Amino acid sequence: MPRLRIALCALPFLLTGTLLANPVSLDPTSGLANGIGIAAVVFALAAEVVVTSTAAILICRGAQRPQVVLAFAVLNALSYTVFIRMLYPITGLVLLIELLIWLVEAGGMVAITRRFSEKPLTPKQALVISAVGNLVSFIIGYGA
């Protein structure tokens, strides 16, 4: 059932990508790049959520799995919106943005696991998990 909820949360992004890729226009390929780009972003964020939440759940035995996964998904969606969509166009500094995302998501992971687990992540564990997860999403997103 939690997988269904995650899929339903991702559905608006996939529908938006499909609509942007609609070939009904003067140039039939005009929206294709936007649609593929949005699909790549959704896939990259989903991959990051899978990697980070799985690692956190394995380390924090007894964590409330659905809540942790959903909270990590919300954390990633918010950090993507704030840092990539809002700050990156202003600064254009990829390394600074990725560093900020890494630190904010690590702090969020600590807070989330404190809320939903009896054995929360340490800041050091969260930094490592966040770095690996963000590397995965960066590689997927950069390759698209």
Side-chain angles (χ1 to χ4, degrees), residues 6 9 45 49 52-53 68-78 112:
I6 293 170
C9 290
L45 291 177
V49 169
T52 56
S53 63
V68 169
V69 173
L70 184 61
F72 276 36
V74 169
L75 175 64
N76 276 278
L78 288 174
I112 289 167

Side-chain angles (χ1 to χ4, degrees), residues 27-126:
D27 178 8
T29 61
S30 63
L32 191 58
N34 284 336
I36 291 171
I38 290 174
V41 166
V42 170
F43 183 73
L45 291 177
E48 180 177 350
V49 169
V50 167
V51 168
T52 56
S53 63
T54 300
I57 288 168
L58 288 174
I59 292 171
C60 303
R61 301 204 186 275
Q64 298 173 20
R65 294 176 185 177
Q67 290 88 344
V68 169
V69 173
L70 184 61
F72 276 36
V74 169
L75 175 64
N76 276 278
L78 288 174
S79 67
Y80 171 78
T81 302
V82 170
F83 293 108
I84 302 296
R85 289 302 214 183
M86 296 176 151
L87 284 179
Y88 178 71
I90 296 169
T91 65
L93 302 171
V94 175
L95 290 177
L96 175 64
I97 296 299
E98 286 295 328
L99 178 66
L100 289 172
I101 290 171
W102 175 51
L103 295 173
V104 168
E105 286 184 358
M109 288 177 191
V110 170
I112 289 167
T113 56
R114 276 196 186 133
R115 170 73 174 94
F116 295 115
S117 175
E118 293 176 9
K119 182 186 170 202
L121 292 173
T122 66
K124 193 180 289 187
Q125 290 169 328

